[in-house]
């Protein structure tokens, strides 16, 4: 029972539980410090991944919001910390689950694509990303790049996969790309190109890797690193 | 000034602090909303709701439970989920 609840951390953090599961999990959270800590870490990683996808809103949004703000008074702090619930919607469960998948995909800032085949490929990538984020053993980690910006990683050792996203790093000219590496006892292994900062990349086959590194390479990538990493992040064991 | 500190001031009704919060989070909130609902007009509405929520409920932000940005993004996520769910429910009820 306890184990079963522990396993819901990832799904809870990305808001992929139904109302009943969520309530059970929140009761559990109140008394399980390790789940509370994991939830915070994953939420932070998800927020980070989400904000990497920031877009400037239309300028009129500010005026609309400020007009509302002038009319509405902030609520006083509440005593109990029980979160208000919107009505439970069990009949919507299947739809909700589908919505959650879309939402998590959106959360990760995967580019909206219109063409059908591109959409299908994006869906497949989204599913892989969700698979890692919602894994029972998903752990977040992050680091600062020497060029400015950050890298955020969510690792599932059980799946041997990691989701990596860069935020706020300088954009590279077309002749160069960021390349991801798995670092450990054996020699660096290439793990994919980060062409678009802000778009998450899945690294598979983690094996005995203890770190991920990012280097700047010629467009198309290199079989082994040709420059000093601009970022390394230690992977949680 | 740090987002969490600004939210404390917002909770006391400080509109200048809210303007700064807006500058920090409007881009991430709008970007998230657009990627979820996939329609610019609806994303703008969702972002408006979320930002007014931030103003209204700033006192409910609890720093022991995570960063201010994570709190705002969670609010945005909820609002966007609600929007997608209600759009799908309407579609289901169509003859």
């Amino acid at each position: 029972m306890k184990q079963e609840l522990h396993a819901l951390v990832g799904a809870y953090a990305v808001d992929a539980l139904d109302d009943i599961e969520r309530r059970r999990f929140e009761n559990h959270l109140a008394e399980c410090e390790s789940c509370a800590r994991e939830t915070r870490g994953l939420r932070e990683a998800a927020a980070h991944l989400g904000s990497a996808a920031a877009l400037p809103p239309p300028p009129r949004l500010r005026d609309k919001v400020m007009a509302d703000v002038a009319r509405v008074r902030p609520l006083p702090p509440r005593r109990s910390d029980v979160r208000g619930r919107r009505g439970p919607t069990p009949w919507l469960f299947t739809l909700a689950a589908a919505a959650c998948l879309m939402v998590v995909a959106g959360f990760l800032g995967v580019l909206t694509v219109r063409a059908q085949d591109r959409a299908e490929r994006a869906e497949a990538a989204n599913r892989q990303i969700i698979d890692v984020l919602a894994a029972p053993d998903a752990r977040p980690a992050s680091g600062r790049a020497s060029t400015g910006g950050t890298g955020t990683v969510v690792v599932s050792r059980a799946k041997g996969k990691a989701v990596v996203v860069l935020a706020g790093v300088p954009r590279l000219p077309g002749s160069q790309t960021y390349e991801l590496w798995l670092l450990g006892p054996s020699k660096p292994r290439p793990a994919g190109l980060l062409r678009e900062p802000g778009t998450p990349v899945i690294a598979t086959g983690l094996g005995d890797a203890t770190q991920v590194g990012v280097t700047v390479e010629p467009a198309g990538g290199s079989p082994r690193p040709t420059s000093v990493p601009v970022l390394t992040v230690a992977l949680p064991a | 000034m740090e987002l969490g500190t600004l939210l404390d001031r917002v909770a006391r009704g400080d509109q200048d602090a809210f303007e700064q919060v807006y500058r920090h989070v409007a881009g991430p909130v709008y970007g998230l909303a657009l990627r979820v609902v996939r329609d610019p007009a609806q994303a703008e509405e969702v972002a408006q709701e979320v930002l007014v929520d931030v103003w209204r409920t700033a006192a409910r932000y609890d720093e022991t439970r995570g960063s201010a940005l994570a709190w705002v993004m969670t609010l945005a996520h909820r609002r966007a989920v609600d929007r997608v769910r209600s759009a799908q429910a309407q579609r289901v009820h169509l003859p």
Side-chain angles (χ1 to χ4, degrees):
Chain A
M1 168 75 159
K2 270 265 154 74
Q3 276 310 315
E4 186 196 318
L5 282 167
H6 289 320
L8 294 178
V9 171
Y12 174 76
V14 297
D15 219 8
L17 296 182
D18 69 74
D19 287 335
I20 294 162
E21 286 175 314
R22 188 163 60 222
R23 213 160 308 158
R24 280 180 57 208
F25 187 78
E26 283 179 349
N27 289 337
H28 171 66
L29 262 192
E31 57 199 37
C32 178
E33 179 48 37
S34 81
C35 283
R37 206 168 38 237
E38 285 305 322
T39 300
R40 273 197 298 275
L42 285 168
R43 278 255 160 91
E44 297 303 327
H48 218 84
L49 294 172
S51 65
L55 286 172
R60 64 173 173 271
L61 176 64
R62 191 189 156 280
D63 299 338
K64 289 196 213 167
V65 170
M66 293 317 289
D68 285 348
V69 159
R71 276 196 299 269
V72 182
R73 199 198 291 259
L75 295 177
R78 93 185 119 181
R79 272 170 233 288
S80 94
D81 201 27
V82 180
R83 192 147 52 92
R85 299 246 162 256
R86 289 144 304 143
T89 50
W91 59 276
L92 265 179
F93 177 64
T94 324
L95 288 177
C100 284
L101 287 185
M102 285 181 58
V103 159
V104 174
F107 206 88
L108 294 167
V110 172
L111 293 175
T112 307
V113 284
R114 284 186 180 77
Q116 189 60 32
D117 62 326
R118 289 187 63 203
E120 273 162 21
R121 259 184 290 145
E123 278 302 315
N126 293 348
R127 269 196 297 277
Q128 287 206 54
I129 290 166
I130 293 156
D131 194 44
V132 174
L133 275 189
D137 69 330
R139 298 283 179 275
S142 63
R144 288 197 178 284
S146 58
T147 53
T150 54
T152 302
V153 184
V154 178
V155 184
S156 166
R157 288 284 180 184
K159 297 193 182 288
K161 291 180 183 171
V163 180
V164 181
V165 69
L166 298 179
V169 295
R171 210 161 256 287
L172 296 175
S175 58
Q176 292 181 324
T177 182
Y178 290 105
E179 185 162 5
L180 183 67
W181 304 92
L182 297 174
L183 310 172
S186 35
K187 59 182 200 281
R189 284 175 288 148
L193 302 181
L194 293 144
R195 287 195 190 85
E196 217 26 72
T199 299
V201 164
I202 285 263
T204 56
L206 290 191
D208 56 2
T210 54
Q211 287 188 312
V212 294
V214 174
T215 58
V216 175
E217 299 294 334
S222 309
R224 67 188 69 84
T226 63
S227 61
V228 178
V230 293
L231 168 80
T232 56
V233 178
L235 298 176
Chain B
M1 194 181 292
E2 213 225 327
L3 198 52
T5 318
L6 287 170
L7 285 178
D8 277 348
R9 289 175 46 193
V10 169
R12 295 194 296 269
D14 183 335
Q15 290 192 23
D16 292 337
F18 181 76
E19 292 243 20
Q20 291 185 59
V21 170
Y22 183 96
R23 279 200 293 278
H24 276 287
V25 304
V29 166
Y30 178 70
L32 168 61
L34 184 61
R35 279 169 171 80
V36 175
V37 303
R38 294 175 184 235
D39 171 68
Q42 288 207 45
E44 193 179 327
E45 284 174 26
V46 169
Q48 183 178 351
E49 290 168 4
V50 172
L51 291 158
V52 176
D53 276 351
V54 169
W55 163 257
R56 227 166 42 83
T57 63
R60 306 279 156 98
Y61 163 61
D62 174 359
E63 64 182 10
T64 63
R65 293 174 65 175
S67 73
L69 179 65
W71 178 70
V72 172
M73 296 304 272
T74 306
L75 290 181
H77 188 207
R78 290 261 151 71
R79 282 283 189 181
V81 172
D82 283 351
R83 184 60 71 113
V84 173
R85 282 182 188 176
S86 68
Q88 286 183 336
Q90 274 169 18
R91 219 171 299 145
V92 167
H93 289 302
L94 287 178

